[in-house]
Amino acid sequence: MVFVAPTWSGDDAAAGERALARCAALGTPLAAHTGPVTMPDQLAAIDAQFPYGRHVEIRPRSVPALTPGVREALLAAGSAPTSPLSAVSVHSLHGAAARVPVAETAFGNRDPHLMIEILALWEPDDPEPARHRAWAAGLAKALEPEALPGTYPNLLGPDETAHIAHSYGPHAHRLLAVKRRTDPDGVFRALPLPAGPGGA
């Protein structure tokens, strides 16, 4: 099943309705609902996928487009999920997100691209958690030949340190300097800090 979650952000409601109508014209949906929503409510709607205690393995990869190789990898993984809770979310980073110069933010890629969020989810009593992790890792590896350097840093796993510098773009060294000055013991972190001037 494909779930499409389009978002229009802007003051021109009519333009938003026209954009959403193009999505509806892709086919006959099983269900369709669109309407105005606040950002807190939009984020809260995602929470139901991640109730307390559910196990999650996330592997993000960014690609320039849905090339034949990317489509083949997505179809293969989508045809053989190891859990009915797992999903692959494809985020389109085009339009306004691509009009901000990369030097003005700490987001490493401001070119139009797709961020693929590989989500392996399973319940705590699942007897074989390794197979779900392997499914996520397998898709990430299949996408690697066409993946861009770096990806969305908030989703990186603890073993994906090679993506850190590219994920933050040209300001990575400035961010690390601030981090080392304000949190020298690395209390607030999700990933190991790469070595640099002054130590890790």
Side-chain angles (χ1 to χ4, degrees), residues 10 27-28 34 38-39 41 58 63-64 70 78-79 85 102 114 126 129 131-132 135 138 142 161-162 164 173 175 200:
T28 303
T34 60
T38 65
M39 182 56 73
D41 287 343
I58 301 178
V63 297
V70 170
S79 299
L85 302 171
V102 69
L114 301 168
D126 192 299
R131 65 192 179 110
H132 308 305
W135 175 83
T161 55
I164 296 175
H173 66 287
L175 292 167

Side-chain angles (χ1 to χ4, degrees), residues 41 67 106 117 119 138 144 154 190:
D41 287 343
T67 63
E117 184 181 3
L119 294 152
E144 201 66 46
N154 200 42

